[in-house]
Amino acid sequence: MKSIMRLAAIATLMFAGTASADLILVGENVADGGNSNPDTEVGIVNSTLGSTVVFDWRCEADLLEGCLEGVGDVSGGLYKVFPFVDTSPATSEVEWDLTGTGYMLLAIVAKTAGSLNIYEVSGDMGLTGTGTVMSPDGIDSISHISFFVGKGEITVPEPGTLALLGLGLIGMGVARRRKVA
């Protein structure tokens, strides 16, 4: 009985953590004709992902100056873009939190003068997460970083739900042991 309770407790603790996922580079060095219009980027991202995204927020300042924060135009979600690392290619850390907004993050675009890299948000990170993006063309700067959202929320089980599941497993183990004995 103790072994069943230990296993149930360990399983509950393991699955009570935060969900993880990756930013997947799905469009590298995609040409955009030098146009930095959000509508143009929406069209390119929708074509690349085969889905419907909406432009939400863009960090369009000198990314070497410091962490920039903003609120999404559509979702009201919170975004942070940290200064890019001045290497070839340049990289920048991004962070987002769309919890309770009714939207989830679907894509991020890192842009330079003539092209962009498109990152798809995978797994359960559409609501909150962090990641690293890099400049297209392997150059040492990033013009801007754009965030794109879609309707809907990813449901992640609450720790209380997982604890209840663990207790149910313990109860089933106890009932089975009593039946066998």
Side-chain angles (χ1 to χ4, degrees), residues 21-24 45 49 51-58 72 75 77-81 94-109 119-133 145-154:
D22 298 314
L23 294 180
I24 302 168
V45 171
L49 296 181
S51 62
T52 303
V53 301
V54 178
F55 172 78
D56 198 29
W57 185 72
R58 173 185 283 178
S75 71
L78 303 175
Y79 296 101
K80 287 184 184 178
V81 176
V94 294
E95 197 174 286
W96 62 92
D97 185 358
L98 278 71
T99 307
T101 65
Y103 289 87
M104 58 187 188
L105 185 65
L106 298 178
I108 300 172
V109 165
Y119 294 87
E120 182 176 21
V121 179
S122 71
D124 295 336
M125 287 187 63
L127 294 179
T128 181
T130 61
T132 302
V133 297
I145 297 173
S146 300
F147 296 85
F148 300 88
V149 297
K151 263 302 210 187
E153 281 205 23
I154 299 170

